[in-house]
Amino acid sequence: QLQLVESGGGQVQSGGSLTLSCTGSGLRFDYYDIGWFRRQAPGKEREGVSCVMSSINNGATYYAEIVKGRFTISRDNAKNTVYLQMNILKPQDTAVYYCAGVSQIRADDIGTARRYDYWGQGTPVTVSS
């Protein structure tokens, strides 16, 4: 079982920055592909934001078009942590952000929430205009 805990959410003004952390425990963290998702409203589907692959896949990174150039994902396997650096934040980035883990996800499934097996509890991000 892989446990994931997010932190770093908060309130920020438009144009500001936040860094989210996702810390894992329980299994070989470096073997897992870790994605960030967000849910912008209750009942709305979780939207894929970014993903960093496991060490098996050389830590390749992927981004949704809407965050490319503004968000950066990275991982520190020695600390069992994945980071999401979010810059130039916009009000439409307001959401609850979740990290999720899966072993060897297919490239086509990176942004598909139901393909991930382990989830954190989420951390809220609010961007004011």
Side-chain angles (χ1 to χ4, degrees):
Q1 198 82 358
L2 177 67
Q3 290 87 38
L4 299 172
V5 178
E6 303 95 336
S7 61
Q11 295 187 346
V12 65
Q13 288 195 326
S14 182
S17 300
L18 279 176
T19 299
L20 306 183
S21 299
C22 171
T23 301
S25 61
L27 292 174
R28 281 290 302 267
F29 185 77
D30 58 321
Y31 281 3
Y32 284 81
D33 305 318
I34 303 294
W36 282 98
F37 290 78
R38 65 188 185 188
R39 194 198 303 272
Q40 293 177 303
K44 198 172 177 181
E45 293 244 343
R46 293 180 185 183
E47 172 188 43
V49 173
S50 184
C51 178
V52 59
M53 306 299 272
S54 68
S55 55
I56 298 170
N57 289 317
N58 298 314
T61 58
Y62 298 88
Y63 298 93
E65 284 297 324
I66 53 173
V67 303
K68 265 185 188 176
R70 299 190 297 124
F71 290 11
T72 302
I73 193 169
S74 61
R75 69 189 300 162
D76 184 341
N77 290 325
K79 295 183 178 179
N80 282 5
T81 301
V82 168
Y83 304 97
L84 186 68
Q85 172 70 42
M86 306 187 296
N87 297 325
I88 318 175
L89 282 163
K90 305 174 181 180
Q92 51 264 46
D93 294 317
T94 295
V96 178
Y97 284 73
Y98 301 87
C99 67
V102 65
S103 176
Q104 298 194 16
I105 195 166
R106 293 177 12 164
D108 289 348
D109 291 333
I110 284 173
T112 305
R114 66 178 183 274
R115 297 301 187 196
Y116 289 75
D117 297 320
Y118 305 101
W119 289 84
Q121 81 291 347
T123 186
V125 171
T126 302
V127 184
S128 57
S129 56

